Amino acid sequence: MDRLARRLKVALEVGADAVINSAEEDVIARLIELQGAVTSQFGRSGFAGADVYIDAAGVPAVIETILKVAKPRAVLTIPAVHKKPIEIDFGAILMQELDIRWAMGYPTEIFEVTDSIIANPDLYAKIISHTFPFDQALEAFELAKTPGAADKVVVLFD
């Protein structure tokens, strides 16, 4: 899910089964269409059938949407960095029994990721939108910190 068409295109190229343009589509309706509709044990409907949600964006709207659509006992994993606090109404999601997990697996997973990058360089190259030589590192940094301007920015050391 994203608001930028170029990111959605890349997601499909690297293996996503489906994408949702949140600027143009009703995200909850589309999730239910893709994952099936689920009714809770208390008869409440409107949940998507997905078991796992991952917030890799760090955008409050992602969390808000997941809390509305996640079926009872679903898992929400959050590896994203949220720069501002998010208000969550735990009373509203109490009966969902949502399992919220924080993820910071870099120390243990970095070697698996590195092996995957080495084995699939063409696949990972698709997520890089901009490349800069080291002498333009400050320009690269400015681009990287501008929301929506770039996907992944790489600085090359010669």
Side-chain angles (χ1 to χ4, degrees):
M1 177 175 70
D2 205 311
R3 299 178 64 83
L4 300 176
R6 72 174 187 271
R7 289 184 185 165
L8 297 172
K9 180 179 180 273
V10 170
L12 289 169
E13 289 175 2
V14 299
D17 293 326
V19 296
I20 301 171
N21 186 326
S22 60
E24 299 173 1
E25 299 177 77
D26 178 331
V27 174
I28 292 175
R30 183 80 166 112
L31 284 169
I32 291 171
E33 176 188 330
L34 291 167
Q35 300 294 324
V38 173
T39 301
S40 76
Q41 67 271 29
F42 301 107
R44 188 169 157 229
S45 61
F47 300 111
D51 295 310
V52 177
Y53 294 85
I54 300 172
D55 168 21
V59 177
V62 172
I63 297 293
E64 292 163 2
T65 301
I66 292 168
L67 295 179
K68 289 178 187 171
V69 77
K71 73 179 186 179
R73 303 234 171 175
V75 175
L76 166 58
T77 300
I78 307 171
V81 175
H82 284 265
K83 296 178 183 175
K84 296 181 181 177
I86 298 173
E87 187 173 315
I88 298 175
D89 181 351
F90 285 114
I93 63 169
L94 178 64
M95 291 189 287
Q96 284 168 270
E97 296 183 334
L98 189 64
D99 182 349
I100 301 174
R101 302 176 185 183
W102 303 99
M104 189 65 178
Y106 299 102
T108 58
E109 297 167 359
I110 188 66
F111 300 108
E112 292 173 37
V113 172
T114 303
D115 289 344
S116 181
I117 292 170
I118 292 167
N120 304 287
D122 294 336
L123 182 67
Y124 287 96
K126 293 178 182 188
I127 67 172
I128 299 169
S129 61
H130 296 79
T131 305
F132 290 86
F134 178 69
D135 64 348
Q136 294 177 355
L138 292 178
E139 182 182 341
F141 180 72
E142 286 300 317
L143 179 67
K145 73 178 192 176
T146 304
D151 296 328
K152 299 291 181 219
V153 176
V154 173
V155 175
L156 300 173
F157 296 86
D158 292 327

